[in-house]
């Protein structure tokens, strides 16, 4: 049954969905992993693809930018289309000096700004954490690669005008990167009894001077993160 934002039918989505932010990246991933994938939804230019990888069903769909956009799609996937796990495959800005441009962060938790998860437990600060089994599957797939770290990130509702001292404070408590979706994803998974993970490529650095990835590089340099996300999705 179609929803206001997904014009698919029951059974069109696999139990596991990879979710980049960018619709172009979603299509590129689908063409790379599942050349014969079927387009199962295309509302507002957000295409969703379903096919098979190594004989197992898999779907790929973009989330758009930001936690509110992701929350719409993920809520509908969890509640209307029998999706059991969503793995975000995206980028983040590096915060800790333990990560450099091109490294991959397996986000085991997400600090978050705003009120996206405050309704889940009244008068309590909700802990937005990934599903342990997915973290473990992605970490094992990394096979000891020193360019892969397991660490928390911070999920923000703003891209610009974040004070440098805020980034530095986050880095001091071991936060590897800043991004805009994982906190909502982890909260929704907890709310609906599902599983979630974010696997993020460090595309720029917010506390260390570096040369940022270009927009084209952000779109195409996802192979390592994609490998780990697929391992988690199909585990």
């Amino acid at each position: 049954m179609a929803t206001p934002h997904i014009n698919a039918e029951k059974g069109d989505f696999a139990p596991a969905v990879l979710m980049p932010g960018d619709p172009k990246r979603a299509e590129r991933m689908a063409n790379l992993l599942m050349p014969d994938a079927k387009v199962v939804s295309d509302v507002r230019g957000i295409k969703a693809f379903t096919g098979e990888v190594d004989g197992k069903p898999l779907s790929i769909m973009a989330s758009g930018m930001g936690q509110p956009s992701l929350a719409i799609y993920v809520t509908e996937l969890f509640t209307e289309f029998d999706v059991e796990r969503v793995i975000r495959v995206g980028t983040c800005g590096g915060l800790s000096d333990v990560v450099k441009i091109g490294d991959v962060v397996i986000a085991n938790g997400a600090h978050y700004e705003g009120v996206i998860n405050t309704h889940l437990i009244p008068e309590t600060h909700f802990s937005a954490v990934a599903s342990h089994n997915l973290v473990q599957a992605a970490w094992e797939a990394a096979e000891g690669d020193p360019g892969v770290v397991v660490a928390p990130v911070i999920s923000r509702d703003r891209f610009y005008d974040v004070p440098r001292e805020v980034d530095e404070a986050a880095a001091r408590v071991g936060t590897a990167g800043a991004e805009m979706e994982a906190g909502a994803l982890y909260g929704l998974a907890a709310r609906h009894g599902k599983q979630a993970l974010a696997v993020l490529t460090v595309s720029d650095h917010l506390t260390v001077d570096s040369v940022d990835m270009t927009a084209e590089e952000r779109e195409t340099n996802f192979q390592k993160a994609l490998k780990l996300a697929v391992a988690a999705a199909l585990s």
Side-chain angles (χ1 to χ4, degrees), residues 10-24:
K10 283 276 192 181
D12 281 348
F13 281 90
V17 176
L18 299 186
M19 184 165 276
D22 183 356
K24 287 185 178 180

Side-chain angles (χ1 to χ4, degrees), residues 20-235:
D22 183 356
K24 287 185 178 180
R25 190 177 301 151
E27 187 162 8
R28 189 183 294 271
M29 288 178 179
N31 290 337
L32 179 64
L33 293 172
M34 309 176 298
D36 298 326
K38 175 184 176 184
V39 176
V40 297
S41 180
D42 59 0
V43 177
R44 298 181 181 228
I46 301 291
K47 292 181 179 180
F49 306 85
T50 295
E52 289 189 350
V53 175
D54 296 332
K56 296 181 179 180
L58 182 68
S59 294
I60 301 175
M61 181 180 186
S63 68
M65 288 191 291
Q67 299 187 97
S69 178
L70 175 140
I72 289 172
Y73 294 116
V74 170
T75 296
E76 294 180 6
L77 290 173
F78 281 161
T79 61
E80 302 297 332
F81 295 100
D82 299 323
V83 170
E84 293 297 322
R85 54 179 60 171
V86 173
I87 294 86
R88 165 164 154 67
V89 190
T91 59
C92 67
L95 293 177
S96 169
D97 59 8
V98 303
V99 294
K100 62 183 185 301
I101 305 298
D103 283 354
V104 172
V105 179
I106 301 169
N108 59 354
H111 313 299
Y112 56 92
E113 291 183 345
V115 297
I116 196 73
N117 289 324
T118 54
H119 65 291
L120 294 175
I121 309 176
E123 300 182 25
T124 303
H125 292 290
F126 175 79
S127 295
V129 295
S131 302
H132 176 74
N133 60 313
L134 301 187
V135 173
Q136 183 175 352
W139 176 247
E140 290 176 354
E143 299 179 321
D145 186 337
V148 177
V149 300
V150 176
V153 296
I154 186 166
S155 299
R156 292 175 168 154
D157 290 335
R158 53 183 172 161
F159 187 84
Y160 296 110
D161 299 323
V162 178
R164 176 74 174 245
E165 58 266 27
V166 174
D167 289 337
E168 292 172 345
R172 282 196 298 271
V173 295
T175 310
E179 54 90 70
M180 301 184 70
E181 288 86 17
L185 174 59
Y186 293 176
L188 287 165
R191 164 69 178 82
H192 295 288
K194 307 291 187 173
Q195 298 180 342
L197 179 66
V199 183
L200 308 165
T201 302
V202 179
S203 60
D204 58 309
H205 214 292
L206 305 177
T207 62
V208 176
D209 291 336
S210 63
V211 178
D212 297 352
M213 285 186 183
T214 65
E216 181 179 1
E217 287 171 335
R218 288 172 190 243
E219 182 184 336
T220 57
N221 289 1
F222 57 79
Q223 288 86 352
K224 184 189 294 187
L226 181 60
K227 172 190 170 185
L228 306 187
V230 169
L234 302 183
S235 62

